[in-house]
Amino acid sequence: MASQVAGKSGNGLCDIQHTKGTLHEILHREHPRESQRHLQQHPPNRSAGSGSCPCADGRRVVLKMPEVTCRRASEVLLKTSAFIRNLPSFYHVPWEDQAALIQQNWAPLFVLGLAQEGVDFELREISAPSLLKKILLNQSPTARDEPGSSSLGAPLAAVQKMKNLLWKLWDLDLSAREYAYLKGIILFNSGRHVLKCLPYVQTLQQEAQEALMDFISLMFRSRLGRFAWILQLLTSLHDVEAGAIEELFFSSILGDVTINELLLQVLHIKPDWL
């Protein structure tokens, strides 16, 4: 199958034989001295509002300390882009595949980065006038809720889901090596996209997954369920709403640009003729 992919791609873009082991080597080299990671600053105790609750439907929240949290979130996004940029295997696929992988996976990669950097955050619920009140006051139903407000807030239910995933990741006390392998597994998840070099991308994801399994088998011989539990969390990470991340952390600085568009620019992902 590898030879078929190389033949179809042209210019050796999807030559699996040429890059076999490259992903494992890069991920391994990123953290040569491995030990269990402990957060430098343990996040505060879980609040009563961190659990999922049906009453969260329709409620919207903003950050309680936006200056501090948004700065840390921007640092996480920068580190996420640096991780991708330092993977030669990623740039061996056509730009269309690169763009599709970023669109599909930037949100779970970002949440994984929040977990690795120990970024916790407090929320403040914002009040939303009822539709009837807006009509009586002759306001647009989509008008900003508060004078001078720059954000409509993120859905509380979506943010709670994200916070729950962060706590589950912290409970696992993942090592730096495990985080690196997880990022590789997430980045090369094709999802619903039809890629030009799909078999090659699947090979890279399988390579990262096998490396994670081997590492866990070596470091946690008595905890055979750790690998399965981590993979289950990865599935949940893809349920995180990208829009909620943008609204919560970046609405005040993005303007009309999306995180997906920003990453494509930063990573220089564009057609060859441009």
Side-chain angles (χ1 to χ4, degrees), residues 15-260:
D15 188 351
I16 296 177
Q17 297 298 327
H18 176 70
T19 59
K20 182 63 175 177
T22 301
L23 177 62
H24 181 278
E25 179 182 352
I26 294 296
L27 296 180
H28 180 81
R29 189 168 65 238
E30 185 171 330
H31 305 285
R33 298 178 59 187
E34 188 53 65
S35 61
Q36 276 299 99
R37 172 179 174 82
H38 294 277
L39 298 176
Q40 295 179 352
Q41 295 182 344
H42 290 285
N45 294 331
R46 307 185 197 203
S47 63
S50 63
S52 180
C53 173
C55 62
D57 295 342
R59 296 162 60 185
R60 306 187 77 85
V61 293
V62 294
L63 296 170
K64 184 173 290 188
M65 301 177 62
E67 295 82 3
V68 175
T69 307
C70 290
R71 182 173 64 250
R72 297 200 66 190
S74 298
E75 293 171 354
V76 169
L77 189 64
L78 181 62
K79 290 183 179 181
T80 300
S81 65
F83 171 83
I84 299 173
R85 189 184 301 112
N86 291 327
L87 285 179
S89 302
F90 179 75
Y91 289 97
H92 287 156
V93 301
W95 73 267
E96 298 97 332
D97 288 1
Q98 296 173 24
L101 291 174
I102 293 298
Q103 179 183 355
Q104 172 81 19
N105 303 313
W106 77 259
L109 279 173
F110 175 79
V111 175
L112 198 62
L114 290 178
Q116 185 173 14
E117 299 300 320
V119 180
D120 196 19
F121 47 89
E122 294 184 73
L123 303 170
R124 175 175 64 86
E125 187 172 352
I126 58 177
S127 59
S130 66
L131 179 59
L132 176 60
K133 182 178 179 179
K134 288 184 176 182
I135 293 175
L136 292 176
L137 294 177
N138 197 26
Q139 295 178 345
S140 169
T142 58
R144 296 298 184 183
D145 295 326
E146 300 175 4
S149 175
S150 61
S151 173
L152 288 173
L156 175 58
V159 177
Q160 284 182 335
K161 181 185 297 185
M162 178 168 38
K163 287 178 71 71
N164 287 341
L165 285 171
L166 288 174
W167 279 108
K168 289 178 180 179
L169 288 166
W170 287 328
D171 285 343
L172 283 172
D173 195 19
L174 296 169
S175 66
R177 184 76 61 78
E178 286 174 304
Y179 273 114
Y181 292 145
L182 288 175
K183 290 177 184 177
I185 295 172
I186 290 177
L187 177 61
F188 294 108
N189 173 47
S190 59
R192 300 178 299 274
H193 293 279
V194 179
L195 305 181
K196 288 187 175 182
C197 290
L198 180 59
Y200 174 61
V201 171
Q202 290 175 332
T203 297
L204 292 174
Q205 186 188 45
Q206 182 66 27
E207 185 182 336
Q209 187 167 311
E210 290 175 355
L212 174 63
M213 183 171 57
D214 291 343
F215 177 78
I216 291 177
S217 299
L218 178 65
M219 299 296 294
F220 304 94
R221 295 181 182 275
S222 61
R223 300 173 63 181
L224 300 179
R226 184 178 179 87
F227 180 70
W229 179 242
I230 290 177
L231 290 187
Q232 182 179 350
L233 278 181
L234 287 185
T235 301
S236 299
L237 278 171
H238 283 282
D239 293 332
V240 174
E241 297 180 17
I245 294 176
E246 291 180 323
E247 184 66 35
L248 187 66
F249 297 107
F250 303 106
S251 61
S252 61
I253 57 178
L254 275 179
D256 295 331
V257 180
T258 66
I259 292 295
N260 182 64

